[in-house]
Amino acid sequence: MTNPDMTAIEALRRFNRFHTRWVGALGADLHGSGVGLTEARVLYELAQREDWRASALAAELGVDPAYLSRLLKRFAAQGWIARRPSRSDGRAYLLSLTPEGRAAFATLEAASRRQAGTIVQRLDPAARQGLVAALRTVEQSLSGAGEPPAVAIRPHGPGDMGWVIAAHARLYAREYGFDDSFEALVAEIAAGFLRDFRPGRERAFIADMDGAPVGCAFVVQADEATAKLRLVLVERRAQGLGLGKRLVAEAVAFARAAGYRRMVLWTNDILHAARAIYRAEGFVLTAQEPHHSFGCDLVGETWELDLAAAPAVTAPR
């Protein structure tokens, strides 16, 4: 039987070999710049701030202080760095790049961007999104942290309805056992939204995380006074970020600004997280009815929100 730890170890080592060769990190001349990988990383950090102490820089990069000292002396001899006494500690010196050093870094940075751009241009949009997600997963898995994902909410654009349909079908089949009649319903709703779209009265909110769609919420017109909230979804990989609350809050704010007097939605009682969001936003449960749909026995619910009332008080986002 294969040892799971050994499998992971060998996979990580294989990726390290692939990546260092792929980016040209094995030689002493990164991107034809005349500097090696460690020197390039030191230049990058010095370009980000002008108050590095040598000891702090060595600790940040995990570089031997004596090796870093020799590297900095070489940079100084090339006229790339300047040293000035620290105001808070007269014994310490702060490092910064000179104009010549910034020019050297700019050349290296441009070469690095060109190489990355060449790689990315080989990929279609879906593969690029997959690459971003995979790299974030690697970073978070190995570091246990990583930067918070960049999340933005925008109006719908070309291709978004295909994602909305597919995402609903996948999530509801996996989480609740819905059959393909649910996918057909979502497709009908999405098609109707595009066909009968009323600018200023209707809107689709699409949430992107690192450039890839992960959530949505729709406001559609039921009648002149009533807006309907539909197709609220957050993919599993984006859950826990408060994105569902943001989407619903933005949808409600849009409906209120559009002049609707009330907002309604239909859901099922098994959607506990969504129901909690609706309740927190001020929606009130007005009706329940058992039904058999999408291959499941369910309890449908109707919720309503009085848009003329004061907005619900929610925690700052």
Side-chain angles (χ1 to χ4, degrees):
M1 181 178 296
T2 303
N3 184 328
D5 289 344
M6 187 58 66
T7 300
I9 289 169
E10 290 306 316
L12 181 59
R13 294 182 64 208
R14 182 171 60 251
F15 177 79
N16 286 341
R17 292 192 296 270
F18 163 79
H19 183 254
T20 51
R21 175 177 57 82
W22 184 262
V23 300
L26 296 177
D29 189 13
L30 188 65
H31 306 309
S33 63
V35 301
L37 180 61
T38 303
E39 295 169 306
R41 182 59 192 277
V42 171
L43 274 176
Y44 175 84
E45 294 298 337
L46 290 171
Q48 307 312 303
R49 48 184 281 195
E50 298 185 346
D51 60 349
W52 277 112
R53 296 186 183 187
S55 58
L57 183 57
E60 173 69 19
L61 296 178
V63 174
D64 176 68
Y67 172 73
L68 179 63
S69 178
R70 293 193 296 272
L71 191 156
L72 292 174
K73 287 180 181 178
R74 189 156 65 249
F75 282 179
Q78 292 173 290
W80 287 359
I81 62 171
R83 302 171 186 260
R84 68 183 189 279
S86 169
R87 292 181 178 179
S88 59
D89 184 351
R91 298 168 299 175
Y93 287 85
L94 304 181
L95 306 172
S96 62
L97 290 181
T98 63
E100 293 80 4
R102 290 200 171 275
F105 170 73
T107 300
L108 180 63
E109 180 78 350
S112 179
R113 287 185 180 277
R114 281 195 301 271
Q115 184 196 48
T118 299
I119 296 170
V120 168
Q121 288 171 5
R122 299 172 185 169
L123 308 176
D124 61 34
R128 293 176 191 178
Q129 293 176 357
L131 175 65
V132 171
L135 291 176
R136 178 169 295 282
T137 298
V138 170
E139 180 182 354
Q140 291 180 336
S141 296
L142 296 182
S143 69
E147 296 180 357
V151 178
I153 297 178
R154 58 171 175 81
H156 71 284
D160 283 328
M161 294 305 149
W163 171 81
V164 168
I165 296 165
H168 275 79
R170 287 192 299 264
L171 188 146
Y172 279 83
R174 181 179 64 242
E175 302 289 340
Y176 306 108
F178 282 17
D179 62 22
D180 57 8
S181 65
F182 179 70
E183 184 172 359
L185 173 63
V186 176
E188 291 170 3
I189 295 171
F193 177 83
L194 290 178
R195 183 178 57 248
D196 304 323
F197 181 58
R198 303 171 180 85
R201 297 285 286 171
E202 298 183 329
R203 183 164 179 179
F205 295 87
I206 306 296
D208 286 342
M209 187 170 74
D210 292 330
V214 293
C216 60
F218 285 60
V219 177
V220 299
Q221 178 175 301
D223 56 46
E224 288 297 320
T226 307
K228 184 177 290 187
L229 179 63
R230 310 199 78 172
L231 301 180
V232 177
L233 174 139
V234 176
E235 287 192 341
R236 175 180 285 183
R237 64 194 180 95
Q239 292 175 3
L241 301 175
L243 191 50
K245 294 179 181 179
R246 284 184 59 188
L247 285 164
V248 171
E250 293 215 18
V252 169
F254 173 85
R256 185 173 277 117
Y260 291 108
R261 293 198 296 272
R262 69 175 189 144
M263 193 172 206
V264 300
L265 67 89
W266 183 85
T267 188
N268 288 285
D269 69 346
I270 58 173
L271 303 178
H272 303 297
R275 294 169 78 250
I277 292 173
Y278 303 145
R279 184 177 288 109
E281 195 62 35
F283 282 87
V284 176
L285 177 62
T286 59
Q288 289 183 308
E289 182 179 4
H291 65 104
H292 183 85
S293 303
F294 321 125
C296 302
D297 290 322
L298 302 165
V299 177
E301 297 182 339
T302 300
W303 294 67
E304 296 187 11
L305 174 64
D306 180 2
L307 294 173
V313 177
T314 57
R317 290 186 295 275

